[in-house]
Amino acid sequence: MPSYKAPVKDMQFILHDVLKVSETGTPGYAELEPDFTGAVLQGAGKIASDVLAPLNPVGDKEGCLLENGVVRTPTGFKAAFDQVRGGGWTALDQPERYGGQNMPYIMYTAVGEISSAANQAFTMYQGLTHGAASAILAHGSERQKDTYLPRMTSCEWTGTMNLTEPHCGTDLGLMRTRAVPQDDGSYKITGQKIFISSGEHDMADNIIHLVLAKIPGGPDGIKGVSLFIVPKVLVNENGSLGARNGVACGKLEDKMGIHGNSTCVMNYDEATGYLLGTEHTGRRAMFTMMNEARIGVGMQGVAQAEVAYQNARAYAKDRLQGRDATGVKNPKGPADPLIVHPDIRRALLDQKSFVEGARAFLLWGSQMIDQSHRGGDAAAEGIVSLLTPIIKGFLTDEGFDMTIRAQQIYGGHGYIEDWGMSQFARDARIAMIYEGANGVQALDLVGRKLSQDGGKHVMAFFEIVKSFIKKNEGNEALKADFLDPLKAASKDLQQAAMYFMQHGMKNPNAALAGSYDFMHLFGHVCLGLMWAQMAKAAQEGIQAGDGDAGFYQSKIKTGRYYMARRLPATAMHLARIQSGADPVMDLEDAAF
Amino acid sequence: MPSYKAPVKDMQFILHDVLKVSETGTPGYAELEPDFTGAVLQGAGKIASDVLAPLNPVGDKEGCLLENGVVRTPTGFKAAFDQVRGGGWTALDQPERYGGQNMPYIMYTAVGEISSAANQAFTMYQGLTHGAASAILAHGSERQKDTYLPRMTSCEWTGTMNLTEPHCGTDLGLMRTRAVPQDDGSYKITGQKIFISSGEHDMADNIIHLVLAKIPGGPDGIKGVSLFIVPKVLVNENGSLGARNGVACGKLEDKMGIHGNSTCVMNYDEATGYLLGTEHTGRRAMFTMMNEARIGVGMQGVAQAEVAYQNARAYAKDRLQGRDATGVKNPKGPADPLIVHPDIRRALLDQKSFVEGARAFLLWGSQMIDQSHRGGDAAAEGIVSLLTPIIKGFLTDEGFDMTIRAQQIYGGHGYIEDWGMSQFARDARIAMIYEGANGVQALDLVGRKLSQDGGKHVMAFFEIVKSFIKKNEGNEALKADFLDPLKAASKDLQQAAMYFMQHGMKNPNAALAGSYDFMHLFGHVCLGLMWAQMAKAAQEGIQAGDGDAGFYQSKIKTGRYYMARRLPATAMHLARIQSGADPVMDLEDAAF
């Protein structure tokens, strides 16, 4: 059975050596001293290793079961959820007013990675609740907040997001679910929603569904969409639970993975709903959930890659097969461990250099969210808005690929479910799809984010890269291995953006045909920047002389691998982009 | 439910427009006239669409069941196997002497793709039998051939390959299964084998296991390994079935995919075995099966990519979502079909251009096998030996990636098992692993095949590329889109080979660290060569004026996509290779 151990030391390195969080002046960050964050991460790691990880294969094997409208979660899930709730882990970054601990979002991301790595399907029950609570916090009335948030913070009640319908996912303007206004100010919601994660289950007293629907007579398309709070059980004036609402799970989906999470078809039959925010502004409220969810999904990609890597690494050190081509390394054994073979190391380093770079990227993004939400920093908000589709799309594509590489190291055993490597890949696969399929992320990046506010945010990003390179140009130890490749990759990115500017106005398809490559090109530049920053921090750590020099060295070596072996992808993506729209658009539809 | 239709027109194009098989003079090829091959492929396609494809999800859902030593295959499998056997489809390329139809191997490959695409798990029962029969044909005594081959040709009896043991897969020198010589010339086989595809099932009267084992007192390691015929039911002198042999299925593996195939733990307990060939030459006999199996596995990668593509293409034309950025294409509908979106076309063209290029590569490789086996052409044998690890490794890596791209086009529906796209990906995943994990293929390519016979075969390959370019250099319509990119990619490949020559002697790891990239670089050059040849054949087809000009045009456009969008990968692989061993080898094992 696979195991998991939270990478606390790696996380602490990013928080304190690289981002130096407690010195940034971001509101709430002063308390993020190494001892404090270390204790939080260790605590999360303990529950993850002891409770959540052992339940991961259980959830995969048992799945959820729908019987007479009740969804039974896998054995052990409820007890584990009680333990997580009881430990306050669901309240980490919520406002104190509603029972939360008011920690910064960066801590929610770090703890979320630990929990997701141990058990993604389980963690989703809480993750969806967090997203729904954030939407209520941002758009709800005081009364709504007081009614729902305390019990969603504690996860006594969980939450969901109801967007997709059978005939529409990305194109929500086609939505058919209707919300008919009632005299008492509430609405009657009728329609069917699909792919509703955690839509129905036996772990909470109530489930607060946030449902997108159209009010008859409103504007066409996405502009006519509003967001509603639809509790599974209606809540009385005094906060006690009342009658069951007109909402039910019609079916559980049989999925490739995340079997432990209940993916529901939800049927709304004149269910009572309460408008969240104002009429016809559902799209905005939805994006409050979606943008948060997209960071969370990017985090899932990293989390599955991390746990898959941990196990692949252990297997590669343990499994004896073949001999080192340069000389026997384990003369007492019948063969050398797999890790002596260069191609096994290549596969492991792909994983390690991705996971560590991606984690830095995620935490940097989370820091900017804190700067924006807590500090009102509009520049940070702009950059993180630009980077969100990359965090979601690039990190989940790569994260999935890394679980495949990890599985591959096991040879035939990787294909056998008992070993658990298949589950990591199957679970990671969904992250490329939900919260906007990765092609939609690429479209969002190229079609919207790149030119947002006159291209200000992408210019700000380039400025960050440029000023890092400039500031360190005298640093000989960084130059050849880190700064030069980063400069070259960043230049590829600039040329790609230039290509879009020059050709995209005349022909949008010239940009859109390259959108997916652009997302990956940009992702590599981001991870290259992270590795350059990590290498610098590791250098400083070595120079300071009071840390674990071997650990710092391993960061520099891992980063060097990323720069030498992964960054060359940027030139390929640029070449593809510059081949333009014709190769993509020329073939008639009928000829496919 | 997904569907499948054999791509007969595409196959005929390769056989007759590109390879011009009936004009090649290869023994047995004169009969391969378009009408004949068309009829065979149509016939195979009909069974595939009507019988095998509908059983594919059944096999996935039901899997196999072990009860009291008996393995029950999924509902409908036995009846379908009877139909396949009855139609003579298992006897296609076997010698007439043993009841076969003596068709060339190239037809076995083409029909195998059709059958595998429709139902990989099912087709494996026959595929393993074919491999085992080939080993008996190559190494068996006349008596052995007469005893086993007629009934293996008809698949009344099926076959297996028993190589892997719990502690050894790639490194078969560690094998523990023992074969103790008996006075009557037979051997008693004792040991455990794992991952035995089709190891036990209810579709045949007998199962002929080919088992690798060590005869006590023989040489150490792989040199001491011999191959044995171990029938499930012993065969009497007169060919009738006798007593049950000491072999049993101990367990069925729970796998990520190919659920319809019984993957068995096989326990041999003093089972009676008969030496195949001579003592201690098991490795050679094994490679007779393995080399054939590796081509077959590469074919599986293409087959799953093809069927996944067919369904993704249909979904992209059918599903309405969003609007074309350059203007509404389906004004009467609520939205445009997915296929208007450039990024959807990008994903579809990745698949289409891969599948068609890879199929040409496979059939070209199969033609060389025929030239070698039937015509004694040593040059062809050398080239196909060089290309075998690329066919296996590159085509299955890419084939799997393409099933993931196809699944992605379905959005959330792709993750739901009912739609069938998950199965294509899960089934395709095994092809990267079995018959030598793809890392082992890369090692075989770089560590063995590249320098085989003084590098003669790789030089011959370069000569093929060079002479094609030279012969067509006056062809303006091919130059910019096909010849120039092929030349550039081929140059990258030469530089990579040069790098290995210059650095590999001093330090084998300098070559081995780049082996995986080299396999992919080489694969892209092979597909680039195929596309250049296909474009030329299509040009000629258009000029001849008597064919389907639109079809030929679509080949040229699809090929142009491959050259513009996929071939740029070669420069990336070269850059990675040239970064050498240090980034891969520097990190201490303990620091992983």
Side-chain angles (χ1 to χ4, degrees), chain A residues 529-568:
Chain A
L529 172 64
M530 293 299 110
W531 271 117
Q533 292 179 347
M534 286 196 280
K536 171 140 200 258
Q539 254 187 9
E540 289 170 353
I542 292 169
Q543 279 152 12
D546 55 356
D548 179 346
F551 174 81
Y552 288 131
Q553 278 296 353
S554 78
K555 291 291 170 201
I556 294 171
K557 289 177 180 177
T558 306
R560 204 188 290 152
Y561 179 90
Y562 194 89
M563 307 309 273
R565 291 264 171 170
R566 303 302 318 283
L567 265 201

Coordinates of all heavy atoms in Angstrom, one line a residue, chain A residues 529-568:
Chain A
L529 N 11.5 30.6 -13.3 CA 11.7 31.7 -12.3 C 11.7 31.2 -10.9 O 12.6 31.7 -10.1 CB 10.5 32.8 -12.5 CG 10.4 33.9 -11.5 CD1 11.7 34.8 -11.7 CD2 9.1 34.7 -11.7
M530 N 10.8 30.3 -10.6 CA 10.8 29.8 -9.2 C 12.1 29.1 -8.9 O 12.6 29.3 -7.8 CB 9.6 28.8 -9.1 CG 8.2 29.4 -9.2 SD 7.9 30.6 -7.9 CE 7.9 32.1 -8.9
W531 N 12.6 28.3 -9.9 CA 13.8 27.6 -9.6 C 15.0 28.5 -9.5 O 15.9 28.3 -8.7 CB 14.1 26.5 -10.7 CG 13.4 25.2 -10.3 CD1 12.4 24.6 -10.9 CD2 13.7 24.4 -9.1 NE1 12.1 23.4 -10.2 CE2 12.9 23.3 -9.1 CE3 14.6 24.6 -8.0 CZ2 12.9 22.3 -8.1 CZ3 14.7 23.6 -7.0 CH2 13.8 22.5 -7.1
A532 N 15.0 29.6 -10.2 CA 16.1 30.6 -10.1 C 16.1 31.2 -8.7 O 17.1 31.4 -8.1 CB 16.0 31.6 -11.2
Q533 N 14.8 31.5 -8.3 CA 14.7 32.1 -6.9 C 15.1 31.1 -5.8 O 15.7 31.4 -4.8 CB 13.3 32.6 -6.7 CG 13.0 33.8 -7.6 CD 11.5 34.3 -7.5 OE1 10.7 33.6 -6.9 NE2 11.2 35.5 -8.0
M534 N 14.7 29.9 -6.1 CA 15.0 28.8 -5.0 C 16.5 28.6 -5.0 O 17.1 28.4 -3.9 CB 14.2 27.6 -5.3 CG 12.8 27.7 -5.0 SD 11.9 26.1 -4.9 CE 11.6 25.7 -6.6
A535 N 17.1 28.6 -6.2 CA 18.6 28.4 -6.2 C 19.3 29.5 -5.5 O 20.3 29.3 -4.7 CB 19.1 28.3 -7.7
K536 N 18.8 30.7 -5.7 CA 19.4 31.9 -5.0 C 19.2 31.7 -3.5 O 20.2 31.9 -2.7 CB 18.8 33.1 -5.5 CG 19.2 34.3 -4.7 CD 19.4 35.6 -5.5 CE 20.2 36.5 -4.8 NZ 19.4 37.6 -4.2
A537 N 18.0 31.4 -3.1 CA 17.8 31.2 -1.6 C 18.6 30.1 -1.0 O 19.2 30.2 0.1 CB 16.3 30.9 -1.4
A538 N 18.8 29.0 -1.8 CA 19.7 27.9 -1.3 C 21.1 28.4 -1.2 O 21.8 28.0 -0.2 CB 19.5 26.7 -2.3
Q539 N 21.6 29.1 -2.2 CA 22.9 29.7 -2.1 C 23.1 30.5 -0.9 O 24.1 30.4 -0.1 CB 23.1 30.7 -3.3 CG 23.9 30.3 -4.4 CD 24.1 31.5 -5.4 OE1 23.7 32.6 -5.1 NE2 24.7 31.2 -6.5
E540 N 22.1 31.4 -0.6 CA 22.2 32.2 0.6 C 22.2 31.3 1.9 O 22.9 31.6 2.9 CB 21.0 33.2 0.6 CG 21.2 34.3 -0.4 CD 19.9 35.1 -0.6 OE1 18.8 34.8 0.0 OE2 19.9 36.1 -1.3
G541 N 21.4 30.3 1.8 CA 21.3 29.3 2.9 C 22.7 28.7 3.2 O 23.1 28.6 4.3
I542 N 23.4 28.3 2.1 CA 24.7 27.7 2.3 C 25.7 28.7 2.8 O 26.5 28.4 3.7 CB 25.2 27.2 0.9 CG1 24.3 26.0 0.5 CG2 26.6 26.7 1.0 CD1 24.5 25.5 -1.0
Q543 N 25.6 30.0 2.3 CA 26.5 31.0 2.7 C 26.3 31.3 4.2 O 27.3 31.6 4.9 CB 26.4 32.3 1.8 CG 27.1 32.2 0.5 CD 26.5 33.0 -0.6 OE1 25.6 33.8 -0.3 NE2 26.9 32.8 -1.8
A544 N 25.0 31.3 4.6 CA 24.8 31.7 6.0 C 25.4 30.6 6.9 O 25.7 30.9 8.1 CB 23.3 31.8 6.2
G545 N 25.5 29.4 6.4 CA 26.3 28.4 7.2 C 25.6 27.8 8.4 O 26.2 27.0 9.0
D546 N 24.3 28.2 8.6 CA 23.7 27.6 9.8 C 22.6 26.6 9.5 O 21.9 26.2 10.4 CB 23.2 28.7 10.7 CG 22.2 29.6 9.9 OD1 22.1 29.4 8.7 OD2 21.7 30.6 10.5
G547 N 22.4 26.3 8.2 CA 21.3 25.4 7.8 C 21.9 24.0 7.4 O 23.0 23.7 7.6
D548 N 21.0 23.3 6.7 CA 21.4 21.9 6.2 C 22.0 22.1 4.8 O 21.2 22.2 3.8 CB 20.1 21.1 6.2 CG 20.4 19.7 5.7 OD1 21.4 19.4 5.1 OD2 19.5 18.8 5.9
A549 N 23.3 22.2 4.7 CA 23.9 22.5 3.5 C 23.6 21.4 2.4 O 23.4 21.8 1.2 CB 25.4 22.6 3.6
G550 N 23.5 20.2 2.8 CA 23.1 19.1 1.8 C 21.7 19.4 1.2 O 21.5 19.1 0.1
F551 N 20.8 19.8 2.1 CA 19.5 20.1 1.6 C 19.5 21.2 0.6 O 18.9 21.1 -0.5 CB 18.6 20.4 2.8 CG 17.2 20.9 2.5 CD1 16.2 20.0 2.2 CD2 16.9 22.3 2.5 CE1 14.9 20.4 1.9 CE2 15.6 22.7 2.1 CZ 14.6 21.8 1.9
Y552 N 20.2 22.3 0.9 CA 20.3 23.4 0.0 C 21.0 23.0 -1.3 O 20.6 23.4 -2.4 CB 21.1 24.6 0.7 CG 20.4 25.3 1.8 CD1 20.9 25.5 3.0 CD2 19.1 25.7 1.6 CE1 20.3 26.2 4.0 CE2 18.4 26.4 2.6 CZ 19.0 26.6 3.8 OH 18.3 27.3 4.8
Q553 N 22.0 22.2 -1.2 CA 22.7 21.7 -2.4 C 21.7 20.9 -3.3 O 21.7 21.0 -4.5 CB 23.9 20.8 -2.1 CG 25.2 21.5 -1.7 CD 25.7 22.3 -2.9 OE1 25.2 22.2 -4.0 NE2 26.7 23.1 -2.7
S554 N 20.9 20.1 -2.6 CA 19.9 19.3 -3.4 C 18.9 20.2 -4.2 O 18.5 19.9 -5.3 CB 19.2 18.3 -2.5 OG 18.2 18.9 -1.8
K555 N 18.6 21.3 -3.6 CA 17.7 22.3 -4.3 C 18.4 22.8 -5.5 O 17.8 22.9 -6.6 CB 17.4 23.5 -3.4 CG 16.5 23.1 -2.2 CD 15.1 22.8 -2.7 CE 14.2 22.2 -1.6 NZ 13.1 21.4 -2.0
I556 N 19.7 23.2 -5.4 CA 20.4 23.7 -6.5 C 20.5 22.7 -7.6 O 20.3 23.0 -8.8 CB 21.8 24.2 -6.1 CG1 21.6 25.5 -5.2 CG2 22.6 24.6 -7.3 CD1 22.9 25.9 -4.5
K557 N 20.8 21.5 -7.3 CA 20.9 20.4 -8.3 C 19.6 20.1 -8.9 O 19.6 19.8 -10.1 CB 21.5 19.1 -7.6 CG 23.0 19.3 -7.2 CD 23.5 18.1 -6.5 CE 25.0 18.2 -6.2 NZ 25.5 17.1 -5.4
T558 N 18.6 20.1 -8.2 CA 17.2 19.8 -8.7 C 16.8 20.9 -9.7 O 16.3 20.6 -10.8 CB 16.2 19.6 -7.6 OG1 16.7 18.6 -6.7 CG2 14.9 19.1 -8.2
G559 N 17.1 22.1 -9.3 CA 16.8 23.3 -10.1 C 17.6 23.2 -11.4 O 17.1 23.5 -12.5
R560 N 18.9 22.9 -11.3 CA 19.7 22.8 -12.5 C 19.1 21.8 -13.5 O 19.1 22.0 -14.7 CB 21.1 22.4 -12.1 CG 22.2 22.8 -13.1 CD 23.5 22.2 -12.7 NE 24.1 22.7 -11.5 CZ 24.9 22.1 -10.7 NH1 25.2 20.8 -11.0 NH2 25.4 22.6 -9.6
Y561 N 18.6 20.7 -12.9 CA 17.9 19.7 -13.8 C 16.7 20.4 -14.5 O 16.6 20.2 -15.8 CB 17.4 18.5 -13.0 CG 16.7 17.5 -13.9 CD1 17.4 16.5 -14.5 CD2 15.3 17.6 -14.1 CE1 16.8 15.5 -15.3 CE2 14.7 16.7 -15.0 CZ 15.4 15.6 -15.6 OH 14.8 14.8 -16.4
Y562 N 15.9 21.1 -13.8 CA 14.7 21.7 -14.4 C 15.2 22.6 -15.6 O 14.6 22.6 -16.7 CB 13.9 22.4 -13.4 CG 12.5 22.8 -14.0 CD1 11.5 21.9 -13.9 CD2 12.3 23.9 -14.7 CE1 10.2 22.1 -14.4 CE2 11.1 24.2 -15.3 CZ 10.0 23.3 -15.2 OH 8.8 23.5 -15.7
M563 N 16.2 23.5 -15.3 CA 16.6 24.4 -16.3 C 17.2 23.7 -17.5 O 17.0 24.1 -18.6 CB 17.6 25.4 -15.7 CG 17.2 26.1 -14.4 SD 15.6 26.9 -14.4 CE 16.0 28.6 -15.0
A564 N 18.0 22.7 -17.3 CA 18.6 22.0 -18.4 C 17.7 21.1 -19.2 O 17.8 21.0 -20.4 CB 19.8 21.2 -17.9
R565 N 16.8 20.4 -18.5 CA 16.0 19.4 -19.1 C 14.6 19.7 -19.4 O 14.0 19.1 -20.2 CB 16.1 18.1 -18.2 CG 17.4 17.5 -18.1 CD 17.6 16.4 -19.1 NE 18.9 15.9 -19.2 CZ 19.3 14.8 -19.8 NH1 18.4 14.0 -20.4 NH2 20.6 14.4 -19.9
R566 N 14.0 20.6 -18.7 CA 12.6 20.9 -18.9 C 12.4 22.3 -19.7 O 11.6 22.4 -20.5 CB 11.8 21.0 -17.6 CG 11.9 19.7 -16.8 CD 11.4 18.4 -17.5 NE 10.2 18.6 -18.3 CZ 8.9 18.6 -17.8 NH1 8.7 18.5 -16.5 NH2 7.9 18.8 -18.6
L567 N 13.2 23.3 -19.3 CA 13.0 24.6 -20.0 C 13.2 24.6 -21.5 O 12.6 25.4 -22.2 CB 14.0 25.6 -19.3 CG 13.4 26.5 -18.2 CD1 14.2 27.8 -18.1 CD2 11.9 26.8 -18.4
P568 N 14.0 23.6 -22.1 CA 14.1 23.7 -23.5 C 12.7 23.5 -24.2 O 12.6 23.7 -25.4 CB 15.0 22.5 -23.8 CG 15.9 22.4 -22.6 CD 15.0 22.7 -21.5

